Amino acid sequence: MSERRSPPPTERELELIDRYWRAANYLSIGQIYLMDNPLLREPLRPEHIKPRLLGHWGTTPGLNFIYAHLNRVIKARDGDVLYVCGPGHGGPGMVANTYLEGTYSEVYPDISQDADGMRKLFRQFSFPGGIPSHVAPETPGSIHEGGELGYALVHAFGAAFDNPGLVVACVVGDGEAETGPLAAAWHSTKFLNPARDGAVLPILHLNGYKIANPTILSRTSDEDLRSLFVGFGYEPIFVEGHEPADMHRQMAAAFDRAFDTIESLQASARNGSPTAGVPRWPMIVLRSPKGWTGPKEVDGKKVEGFWRAHQVPVANCRGDDAHRQILEEWMRSYRPEDLFDADGRLRPELRALAPSGEKRMGATPYANGGRMRRELQLPNIRDHAVSVDVRGASQVQSTEILGRYLRDVMRLNAEAKNFRIFGPDETESNRLGAVFEQTDRVWMQEIEDYDVHLGRDGRVMEVLSEHLCQGWLEGYLLTGRHGLFSCYEAFIHIIDSMFNQHAKWLKVSRGLDWREPVSSLNYLLTSHVWRQDHNGFSHQDPGFVDLVANKKADVVRIYLPPDANTLLWVGDHCLRTYDRINVIVAGKQPESQYLTIDEAVKHCEEGIGVWEWASFEKDSIGPDVVMACAGDVPTMETLAAVMLLHEAIPDLKIRTVNVVDLLAMQDPQQHPHGLDDARFDGIFTKGRPVIFAYHGYPYLIHRLTYRRTNHGNIHVRGFVEEGTTTTPFDMTVLNEVDRYHLALEAIARVPDLAEKVPDVIADLHAKLDAHRAFVRERGEDMPEIRNWRWARSS
Amino acid sequence: MSERRSPPPTERELELIDRYWRAANYLSIGQIYLMDNPLLREPLRPEHIKPRLLGHWGTTPGLNFIYAHLNRVIKARDGDVLYVCGPGHGGPGMVANTYLEGTYSEVYPDISQDADGMRKLFRQFSFPGGIPSHVAPETPGSIHEGGELGYALVHAFGAAFDNPGLVVACVVGDGEAETGPLAAAWHSTKFLNPARDGAVLPILHLNGYKIANPTILSRTSDEDLRSLFVGFGYEPIFVEGHEPADMHRQMAAAFDRAFDTIESLQASARNGSPTAGVPRWPMIVLRSPKGWTGPKEVDGKKVEGFWRAHQVPVANCRGDDAHRQILEEWMRSYRPEDLFDADGRLRPELRALAPSGEKRMGATPYANGGRMRRELQLPNIRDHAVSVDVRGASQVQSTEILGRYLRDVMRLNAEAKNFRIFGPDETESNRLGAVFEQTDRVWMQEIEDYDVHLGRDGRVMEVLSEHLCQGWLEGYLLTGRHGLFSCYEAFIHIIDSMFNQHAKWLKVSRGLDWREPVSSLNYLLTSHVWRQDHNGFSHQDPGFVDLVANKKADVVRIYLPPDANTLLWVGDHCLRTYDRINVIVAGKQPESQYLTIDEAVKHCEEGIGVWEWASFEKDSIGPDVVMACAGDVPTMETLAAVMLLHEAIPDLKIRTVNVVDLLAMQDPQQHPHGLDDARFDGIFTKGRPVIFAYHGYPYLIHRLTYRRTNHGNIHVRGFVEEGTTTTPFDMTVLNEVDRYHLALEAIARVPDLAEKVPDVIADLHAKLDAHRAFVRERGEDMPEIRNWRWARSS
């Protein structure tokens, strides 16, 4: 492609770009300030000004500057460019540009390209019933909100993977550059293969200030900055100044150099010769004033080039005539009559600067990933099912079975190149190692001959940063692909906030008919709280699902499959869904297998079910006690408790209930998966005691069921923040969710039972004492615990 | 201090250091493997081996190597050094070293310095009833667990601030170095004043591998690494190799050079001349093999220098005779008889290598911060109280009042230098700007003449990284100081996981009598969900308190003060507590003031109370309805609803209840602040409808109250994930927690009331419709909403 290198722009071209930039700036300011009089055909009057001035000017002229120059590059090279706008609070700029290029009016026909449309464009911004002040799902061309800072660059790389024809231009603000996730994301080039993937062109925009402070990088010397980015593996290109004509020349040259380098790196990687490690990708450092071209001073205080330009640089333009005058002069300084014709349409010579069709950054299908999404080819879960002839007879690592299924997902979609697995260095540890029969971990740095499962074309992405795993996956999904994030349960909290933002993005996107559905974000949380004896208390935290349950019901699902076949169904199901976030919690240690694949399918489709084969109800009209469970370890302890109770008190009528789809516990008004009350009451009874062994913090079960008839009789046990490095069974004892405590609670809750079975109670206490003594003396669980399995023919 | 520069160590000294290192390695392996036969006085038999082999060998020899060399530096310079061990899973190494230097036996006398003590030392590690496998609160000399990776460096800087005599040696593993928080923390030098603060010496330990992958930085060339750390502002010093004698020489020289540089930078900063920007601090890059000195190969597979050395390099030593033989040869390779005498005591010439008393890193009081903690001097809250003659007559920004109080806290403790405020660029935005009358933001880079409130000695720390704010504060608190973290409510989720880890640290620390209490970690969450109309949906998330409520009740508190005087009491109270995490949620916008300072004190001490002045119960035996609220905006909407109801239905008996101390809603079995049932029932009644307007996700109130008598009648409204850029009142309407919805629900819930007041219901619906029309037309709330205030004499 290097022969495509384009000549530098002429002065005439740069003048046109400058006018285009002025038009975008003008429209940005109009959105922040004006309700009416969009073309300034009359002097500004108070009623033209919005009553509440909301928006961020400071970053916006820089964003517009970059957009205008990218338009030139796209036209010159006929390229596909996705604009990721880290300073998403510069929403007015992105809206202005997609309006100028025509995309906005195509998506929202009411916002037409004329004076009336411009008036509506201005008015709707940050206005009740209108659009948000930030880049958001409503903004065409965006996959990145930028409200919470830190994720621009990692989203950009996620979008570039497996999209060889795409260049992602990613603007990183100097505020955002101070965050941890952004700082880590610079290393993403070590996972980007120039032969297979697209390119990311980071544009570090140093405008000097945050809300009320200078930024670290803007006060770092060019020498140190160069050293820093060379150290990160880039070739930095500097563009610095404030005089527009000079800056246009610099920027055009910088983009030409950057795109030439990208094309040349890709061409040499794609000509068939083996890749020689990580290429030195270009990046641009753009130093320009905050609030560039805005008021220099207001009320005698420095504004342009200072943090006072961050939001609304001149306030109260309704009530303050002098301020309104500043605003008017400022807006007129862009000479709107040079930019727009009498009808309010962008003049034709400027319209000609934008690319056309899907090459427009607002219209690129990469930013509306559902349009590019191809369905995954999925294997038949029955080909991977564990055979269960005798319940509990075999011990299987459930995630290992899922690993084989995932290996086949990899195989079936190898050609489509649209499925990846992400995880912080834990794919093998989480027993998904079978995928390495089909693919490698991607690794672009040096590979030693003794390394295993490392390769340039690997589809497993491992890095010790949950932030990068999450962000890459988000970018990958939002551009139309599929994936799974496997993570230690406790540490998924590291990305709580990213989860929140993605859930919000999906919630809003689902309401926009022009956004096609994207694949769900799937978490497999393993190495969970009950099996972190290798690490201890710091690794024991099952609270992520509590956060998830706060989000809009149509967006989230939580699954707790108790064995391998249920995990297979859940994993397969999640990969078929879209516009959701699915959380699967499942252990990786050997465990009893309970359900045949047919039973598993039925059980999972219902979400909650009575396990008849583990119940002792006879033909009675109802049980004395319901033993309910959710999660693999609680299920095992519940089954053990049921067997203890049955053997000790054969007349006790016990019903065993298992919950796979946790949010089915809620009523259907609150969650679409919620069981209706009749069915819930049929399972949990209207008045019998329910002993509920739950995987996580017990309060969640109360919160989900507080509207249910029998809620007052539901007694939940779960993790109550008691943990350390100890044996698996001792962990359940510390938190009193073990078989003995469950059986004791059942006895205590069944009316009049306790007084009849003092020996049983004494025996259960004795067993607890024996456990405690044994484990402290011998350092392992008693053989009857270690070897326990449910063993009863179905 | 530069004249103190010590001569390089002699070969004899280096030999002794090598033997000390071997002793630490030997003890580390013993902890992972042995239950008995600690000195290998007989051949290893199966019963000497632990049944479960848990622990991490890979990083440990490197940690021990660094520890031994730091001992030399401390002795040579009589310095105070705190060892922050990023790879905290190398717990055996830190335990081994504190045992060798004698600290461990002083703290835990049962683990004596003889053969029997060594046997117990080995046995207790990762053993039920023993100690965790990681560095943990139980480990003397530690303020940093290192279980969840990412925070070593930020903790180190937190410890160094305002501790001019301290050098924090911070080991950063190359796995941890891939995380975002760690990547951001390198910039912390820009906030470290060499005249006032101590120093941090980062030691980046590149041992090449994570659990199953190489690391990014270990496969980066020295040239790029040098460039990277020069770019971050450091002077990197490289130590590379594997041959012990050579490595000892290199390491000693590197430490001498680093400490010389630190002393020289500090001396020049402290001689009175003005500070010339950010000094170029030294840092060390240590490349050494993973599992150094361990088995080269096991079963024909590479172990030393590869990821197979990460945890237990040779498994199943109980059952596999050949493996047990490898273990025995490996342990004997350290020649234990050269290291320990016949009684199992470290030989005297090696004992002499450790510093003595509190200079030992395991015994440094800096790592047991409560010992160094000085009480804060606190102003009288009455000096800052807002006068409330007529309730609701004045509109005040509550956080601004707290800001004045905090300014005085700054003033009163200026000399003690033990209080700082942390926040991501938001101190001014959160209306705490009064503190800038007393101090600046600390800033070590260039300061321009037009900058405001920036200074070298500032005590406000602002950086656009919640991770850095949280981590600096944790390090500052754990070394005995005080602080406050003010943050936008939505983005505090960024540090969810750090909060979790700190709560776990405190929970365990509280159980160790040798750890003195440290000051509480105080959050002020403002710019909250109901007043994020400037930013929109991405900034609207009140769920952090849900996470907090999962933690152990003795560690956490959540406060929702409704006005300035209650906020003053809460802020003051939190600063007086220790070993807790306090969360305060309070808005920054002008709001009605309700309680005099005397009333505020009484109300806050109770935690929950009936507001008689806002109730209309007459002399009845109970209300028809309880209108309850928690949070400033819900309180305002509740009061407005009460007034609407009272004016429309004068006979309706209304009780108004406000909750400040949220966890008082729980019963006292679950939380020490919990109201007993009689008092709770007295306030919320046993059977009348309760309309509860809550600040956050409504489910939390159900979860807290599900055991209460009247729970079935508590109807909670709160944030249900409906948000965008709109007006303040419209936000409450979108989530149906506004005055009209509250009044409507009250009418619906009081038996037989609705049919009597159809006109009232119609009028409330009409008001909602009028609001919706007005706000969409005019872009602001109706004047009667904007200007609403509770106005009724007390």
Side-chain angles (χ1 to χ4, degrees), chain B residues 321-376:
Chain B
D321 292 344
H323 280 199
R324 194 166 58 256
Q325 185 64 29
I326 293 173
L327 171 63
E328 181 161 346
E329 283 168 16
W330 172 23
M331 292 193 73
R332 288 198 191 279
S333 76
Y334 300 104
R335 299 192 299 279
E337 62 284 1
D338 282 0
L339 313 172
F340 303 99
D341 67 17
D343 294 329
R345 287 171 59 82
L346 188 66
R347 292 191 181 278
E349 68 274 24
L350 299 184
R351 280 212 304 278
L353 297 187
S356 58
E358 296 190 344
K359 298 294 180 191
R360 292 173 299 177
M361 287 183 283
T364 178
Y366 289 100
N368 189 357
R371 284 178 56 198
M372 301 188 74
R373 177 173 172 263
R374 292 172 57 185
E375 291 291 332
L376 268 188

Side-chain angles (χ1 to χ4, degrees), chain B residues 278-536:
Chain B
V278 188
R280 194 165 284 281
W281 296 95
M283 59 90 62
I284 293 174
V285 178
L286 168 63
R287 283 195 198 262
S288 69
K290 186 149 187 153
W292 193 12
T293 72
K296 300 271 180 281
E297 282 195 354
V298 175
D299 301 336
K301 289 188 169 165
K302 181 175 174 67
V303 175
E304 193 200 30
F306 197 55
W307 51 253
R308 289 194 191 92
H310 183 69
Q311 295 185 342
V312 177
V314 45
N316 189 23
C317 295
R318 224 181 207 208
D320 185 322
D321 292 344
H323 280 199
R324 194 166 58 256
Q325 185 64 29
I326 293 173
L327 171 63
E328 181 161 346
E329 283 168 16
W330 172 23
M331 292 193 73
R332 288 198 191 279
S333 76
Y334 300 104
R335 299 192 299 279
E337 62 284 1
D338 282 0
L339 313 172
F340 303 99
D341 67 17
D343 294 329
R345 287 171 59 82
L346 188 66
R347 292 191 181 278
E349 68 274 24
L350 299 184
R351 280 212 304 278
L353 297 187
S356 58
E358 296 190 344
K359 298 294 180 191
R360 292 173 299 177
M361 287 183 283
T364 178
Y366 289 100
N368 189 357
R371 284 178 56 198
M372 301 188 74
R373 177 173 172 263
R374 292 172 57 185
E375 291 291 332
L376 268 188
Q377 303 300 309
L378 293 176
N380 189 333
I381 59 172
R382 286 165 201 278
D383 296 342
H384 295 277
V386 170
S387 93
V388 178
D389 300 327
V390 178
R391 296 192 200 282
S394 60
Q395 296 272 300
V396 168
Q397 296 180 314
S398 297
T399 55
E400 191 187 350
I401 303 299
L402 184 71
R404 296 182 203 158
Y405 169 87
L406 291 171
R407 172 199 62 204
D408 288 0
V409 177
M410 279 289 177
R411 182 173 51 76
L412 290 169
N413 301 281
E415 206 171 320
K417 292 184 180 159
N418 60 351
F419 179 68
R420 294 200 187 205
I421 293 176
F422 301 77
D425 192 30
E426 294 157 6
T427 306
E428 190 82 68
S429 160
N430 291 336
R431 309 290 187 266
L432 303 177
V435 299
F436 296 124
E437 297 168 22
Q438 180 63 35
T439 189
D440 289 324
R441 301 175 182 95
V442 59
W443 190 261
M444 295 304 298
Q445 291 181 296
E446 205 172 333
I447 298 179
E448 305 288 350
D449 54 9
Y450 47 79
D451 281 326
V452 288
H453 302 317
L454 289 189
R456 306 301 192 204
D457 290 319
R459 310 196 65 74
V460 175
M461 310 206 59
E462 297 197 341
V463 63
L464 213 160
S465 165
E466 286 78 2
H467 291 114
L468 294 192
C469 293
Q470 171 82 14
W472 287 341
L473 176 54
E474 287 177 0
Y476 200 64
L477 296 174
L478 290 172
T479 48
R481 284 77 64 81
H482 312 261
L484 174 79
F485 179 3
S486 118
C487 188
Y488 277 26
E489 181 188 48
F491 299 148
I492 198 68
H493 274 299
I494 291 171
I495 55 75
D496 275 4
S497 207
M498 300 180 77
F499 156 82
N500 271 345
Q501 297 300 331
H502 191 69
K504 285 173 184 285
W505 179 277
L506 290 179
K507 186 244 177 189
V508 175
S509 293
R510 289 167 75 112
L512 300 169
D513 57 7
W514 61 271
R515 281 217 181 254
E516 298 289 328
V518 296
S519 294
S520 298
L521 198 162
N522 302 307
Y523 295 102
L524 174 66
L525 304 187
T526 181
S527 302
H528 63 51
V529 55
W530 302 110
R531 291 294 181 268
Q532 271 298 346
D533 36 307
H534 204 92
N535 288 294

